[in-house]
Amino acid sequence: MSDLEDLSGVAGVELSVEAIYGILEQIDLDILNLVREGKLSALKYAVGTDPKASVDRGANLKALMLARKQYEELVQEKLKRQELVEPGWEVSQGDCSRTGMG
């Protein structure tokens, strides 16, 4: 797929709280997998078989942690907005009048 040249054809919807939790779960999994390698350091490691393609593990962890923080802030913000909009309880009123009896 080729790169976009502008944003004119891009559309989207606001992420739901559930979607953000899914993203946080994926970030946590990526962090865990990065740390479980046992080689976490600022050293670079090769990607695939191309020795020129390398990734800085420390920078990768830092980027994941920053992304996690931003998504956590976003979900907390959304939850606060929902608390302001949604009532804590609902009150209903029933009709206790007797119809058909006269």
Side-chain angles (χ1 to χ4, degrees), residues 50-71:
D50 184 2
K52 293 181 183 179
S54 63
V55 176
D56 184 322
R57 296 174 65 85
N60 194 3
L61 178 61
K62 185 176 180 179
L64 285 168
M65 296 298 290
L66 179 60
R68 191 185 197 300
K69 180 182 177 188
Q70 290 175 336
Y71 279 109

Side-chain angles (χ1 to χ4, degrees), residues 7-26:
L7 297 175
S8 62
V10 178
V13 295
E14 188 173 342
L15 291 172
S16 67
V17 170
E18 293 79 17
I20 297 171
Y21 280 133
I23 292 169
L24 285 169
E25 186 176 325
Q26 182 62 52

Side-chain angles (χ1 to χ4, degrees), residues 19 23 33 45-46 49 53 58 85 91:
I23 292 169
N33 284 329
Y45 62 98
T49 57
V85 173
V91 178

